[in-house]
Amino acid sequence: ERAVQLGKSVAAMIEDMEAVAADRQGDPKAIDRLLGQAATGFAQLGKVAPAERDALEARYVAVRGTLVVRIQELREGEDWKRWANVPRADALVAAAKELAEREEAPTLQLLKAVQQAWKELGPMPSKKSKELWETFKAHCDAAFARIRNDRAAEDEKLSGNVAIKREL
């Protein structure tokens, strides 16, 4: 009786795996988690009645192979998406650099727009992401320092004008 129950349990697990394999989208983390759970469940296959064991093992091996290939494809797709964001990040770094180095002072609105575009960029490969982020942040900090200095000079000029008007 225990062997029959285990057979049903393993068959249900394989059906779940087949349903995930049939889904063309898929989440790599969910598939990875399912494969881990399936490996634990498959370890019980030796306790299943011999008549069912061979058929279940064949189904398990086939669907596991499909899922392993699928997870690899999904991970490669994610890698391509990450690398596709690098040229966009390079363009934002160039924009931040232009803001920091332009002759007229950058405006806070422009700087915020560039920073917002960075937030919406999406993931990148980790090494490249860190390098680009540090460069982008340095240029934004320089642009912000120029904005702050220009505002301080303007405030000082305005306060000087107020003092002159009071004297008159």
Side-chain angles (χ1 to χ4, degrees), residues 1-17:
E1 187 175 311
R2 175 85 172 130
V4 171
Q5 288 296 334
L6 281 173
K8 288 180 182 179
S9 175
V10 170
M13 174 195 66
I14 293 171
E15 287 171 10
D16 289 345
M17 292 172 70

Side-chain angles (χ1 to χ4, degrees), residues 29-46:
K29 290 179 183 177
I31 294 172
D32 203 25
R33 200 172 27 254
L34 179 63
L35 285 171
Q37 293 168 351
T40 304
F42 185 71
Q44 302 296 316
L45 191 65

Side-chain angles (χ1 to χ4, degrees), residues 65-84:
T66 301
L67 287 174
V68 167
V69 169
R70 173 72 48 75
I71 198 169
Q72 192 64 19
E73 290 171 351
L74 290 169
R75 286 181 179 152
E76 286 175 11
E78 287 178 357
D79 287 345
W80 279 106
K81 286 178 187 175
R82 282 183 168 83
W83 280 105

Side-chain angles (χ1 to χ4, degrees), residues 72-151:
Q72 192 64 19
E73 290 171 351
L74 290 169
R75 286 181 179 152
E76 286 175 11
E78 287 178 357
D79 287 345
W80 279 106
K81 286 178 187 175
R82 282 183 168 83
W83 280 105
N85 287 330
V86 171
R88 293 174 51 212
D90 283 333
L92 290 173
V93 167
K97 181 178 182 181
E98 191 274 327
L99 281 176
E101 295 175 350
R102 65 196 281 184
E103 288 195 28
E104 70 272 3
T107 65
L108 192 56
Q109 291 79 13
L110 283 174
L111 183 58
K112 284 183 177 183
V114 170
Q115 290 173 330
Q116 183 61 38
W118 183 274
K119 286 181 183 179
E120 296 168 359
L121 229 163
M124 290 180 281
S126 59
K127 285 185 181 180
K128 196 70 172 165
S129 175
K130 183 176 180 181
E131 172 189 324
L132 288 168
W133 167 248
E134 289 173 356
T135 306
F136 177 79
K137 186 173 180 333
H139 291 312
C140 287
D141 289 346
F144 185 70
R146 285 192 59 205
I147 291 169
R148 190 174 43 239
N149 289 339
D150 287 350
R151 283 190 177 173

